[in-house]
Amino acid sequence: MESPMSEGRDFWWDEEIVAADIANDCRPEIMDAEDPLFILYTSGSTGKPKGVLHTTAGYLVYVMQTFKWIFDIRDEDTYWCTADIGWITGHSYIVYGPLVNGATSLLFEGVPNHPRPDRFWEIVEKNRVSIFYTAPTALRTLMKEGNHWPAQHDLSSLRLLGSVGEPINPKVWMWYRETIGQGRCPIVDTWWQTETGGIVISPFPAATPCKPGSATLPFFGIQPEIIRSNLDQTTLEEGGWLVIKRPWPGLMRRVYGDSERFKKTYFAQFPGVYTTGDGAKTDEDGYFWIMGRIDDVINVSGHRLGTAELESVLVSHASVAEAAVVGMPHETKGQGIYAFVTVKTEVLQRDDLIAALKQQVRSIIGPIATPDKIQFAEALPKTRSGKIMRRVLAKIAAGDVTNLGDTTTLTDEAVLEDLIRNRQ
Ligand code: 7RM
């Protein structure tokens, strides 16, 4: 097709590039290893955002190596990470990691379900994508719409799948594995944070035996540990604080402009280790299971329950698409359990579904975990990176709706009205 060129406004790349003296006009700047590379502000569930600062050499070494080994990148691959570039996942695994490895990488600006819920699969087919990295929130959105959408596309180019951002519910993991990966592709469930710079707990594809819902084992050089409030190591299956004992090249260097806050947030509660803020447990194989943010743990009559496990049990019901669980004030138990649930597109919201869901949690986790209230929601409040904003939901559950706190990172304000209106 002819391009309508406008004199003085449009130029041909091939003509301009030969005329440019790249070696002299655009010289690389030599940086010191510890020079700042970028600052990324974390939304921070409470208080004002923190400027997480990463530096040049360590960060680049770390994202280069994790990208190379966890995504097993090869010359013939076409890699696609669906994240927003403004999120750390976009920084590390769209910009720096793929570029420093010279990978062929697809960039996409858009959402998974527009114009139709097969947008991702259409792009995979058209570009013969071989490595695909996305978030559980996107997978749940697409799974909800039914298998006929991926079924319309040739997904045979895929050879490796990745997940990041939230715990992936086992049911969603199985769907990813069977329906998208067609039982053929390994899945890497990658646990990490803005602060860690790159992936710190993850399987190596096809080398680490997987368990759906576990990010499995630490990357080389990473020494995670799970501890109690008194610093003792936890026993098997006992939930506790996830900390990392030794530094690594990708660890953030400081909170921009606030070294006190850096120390206080990550190194004060447990001196000598990096505190992640997540709760976790290990099983008999030493595999790590992330339980959710420690601040979101619910304490029912002295029993501490992580959000991830409760939500995964709700999601395992055939009618349920997504679930978010929060604590609510309760007279006798201290905290009660309030669950927000979205159902699959064709499912009607019925009272007997509430009873079935309560029964399911009761029989799988135990009577103590039975939700006190279940509310059907049209959608859940999420950040731009797809994380459920449980802090906002906890306020709604408590009936404290006049001040929902900082909702600047919320993607869609309209979601709140439905949630408040239908409060149980
Ligand atoms: C990469 C990113 C960090 C928080 C982290 C966790 C949660 C991220 C996983 C996960 C379970 C995962 N950076 N999280 N990945 N939980 N399994 N694979 O998300 O700074 O935006 O968020 O996200 O709670 O602390 S982040």
Side-chain angles (χ1 to χ4, degrees), residues 42 87-89 163-168 189-195 215 276 278 290 292-293 385 387:
T42 63
W87 178 27
I88 188 66
T89 303
S163 173
V164 59
E166 284 186 303
I168 179 165
D189 175 1
T190 63
W191 181 88
W192 57 293
Q193 310 176 292
T194 306
E195 294 86 342
T276 67
D278 277 13
I290 306 297
R293 297 294 295 171
S385 61
K387 293 190 209 297

Side-chain angles (χ1 to χ4, degrees), residues 45-318:
S45 48
T46 49
K48 72 171 208 270
K50 295 182 285 282
V52 172
L53 188 144
H54 285 288
T55 56
T56 308
Y59 172 87
L60 282 170
V61 163
Y62 197 71
V63 296
M64 174 175 170
Q65 218 53 249
T66 48
F67 182 75
K68 192 177 161 79
W69 287 334
I70 294 167
F71 294 105
D72 180 33
I73 193 76
R74 304 177 200 173
D75 285 347
E76 59 277 20
D77 279 312
T78 298
Y79 163 87
W80 180 23
C81 168
T82 69
D84 187 312
I85 288 185
W87 178 27
I88 188 66
T89 303
H91 279 57
S92 300
Y93 298 110
I94 296 176
V95 181
Y96 295 101
L99 284 178
V100 82
N101 278 284
T104 301
S105 168
L106 192 139
L107 274 71
F108 168 73
E109 174 72 42
V111 295
N113 50 3
H114 183 84
R116 295 180 310 163
D118 63 345
R119 191 75 201 271
F120 279 3
W121 321 130
E122 187 183 86
I123 294 172
V124 166
E125 176 177 13
K126 182 175 164 199
N127 298 283
R128 305 290 300 157
V129 170
S130 55
I131 306 174
F132 180 71
Y133 191 31
T134 196
T137 182
L139 296 172
R140 289 188 301 250
T141 302
L142 299 175
M143 189 176 163
K144 182 180 171 180
E145 301 297 334
N147 290 353
H148 56 288
W149 292 106
Q152 289 165 26
H153 297 279
D154 175 9
L155 303 179
S156 63
S157 58
L158 291 171
R159 72 171 185 91
L160 174 56
L161 304 172
S163 173
V164 59
E166 284 186 303
I168 179 165
N169 320 100
K171 180 174 91 175
V172 179
W173 194 100
M174 288 308 295
W175 180 81
Y176 201 20
R177 166 99 194 155
E178 298 304 328
T179 308
I180 305 307
Q182 300 169 340
R184 184 187 68 242
C185 309
I187 297 177
V188 288
D189 175 1
T190 63
W191 181 88
W192 57 293
Q193 310 176 292
T194 306
E195 294 86 342
T196 68
I199 298 164
V200 287
I201 303 180
S202 166
F204 289 107
T208 312
C210 287
K211 303 184 189 184
S214 169
T216 75
L217 299 165
F219 189 73
F220 303 130
I222 305 296
Q223 295 182 29
E225 200 167 80
I226 300 169
I227 59 173
R228 299 185 183 139
S229 300
N230 68 1
L231 271 161
D232 285 350
Q233 223 177 309
T234 54
T235 54
L236 279 190
E237 303 287 351
E238 175 190 343
W241 296 81
L242 178 63
V243 301
I244 305 178
K245 282 164 50 181
R246 303 286 304 153
W248 64 98
L251 180 61
M252 69 184 288
R253 294 300 191 271
R254 54 188 185 267
V255 171
Y256 183 61
D258 198 344
S259 50
E260 235 353 88
R261 192 155 178 217
F262 181 45
K263 198 168 141 191
K264 214 175 123 215
T265 311
Y266 305 104
F267 303 101
Q269 185 182 0
F270 304 116
V273 300
Y274 164 75
T275 302
T276 67
D278 277 13
K281 56 186 177 183
T282 49
D283 66 16
E284 69 282 5
D285 296 316
Y287 278 33
F288 285 82
W289 295 80
I290 306 297
M291 301 165 71
R293 297 294 295 171
I294 228 117
D295 298 342
D296 296 332
V297 165
I298 306 170
N299 195 325
V300 184
S301 308
H303 297 260
R304 301 172 72 234
L305 301 161
T307 50
E309 191 180 0
L310 282 162
E311 290 165 6
S312 284
V313 171
L314 292 166
V315 167
S316 72
H317 191 282

Side-chain angles (χ1 to χ4, degrees), residues 13-33:
W13 171 265
D14 54 337
E15 288 167 13
E16 296 303 316
I17 197 71
V18 286
D21 183 357
I22 294 175
N24 284 306
D25 294 348
C26 187
R27 287 177 187 234
E29 183 69 34
I30 305 297
M31 306 299 283
D32 186 84

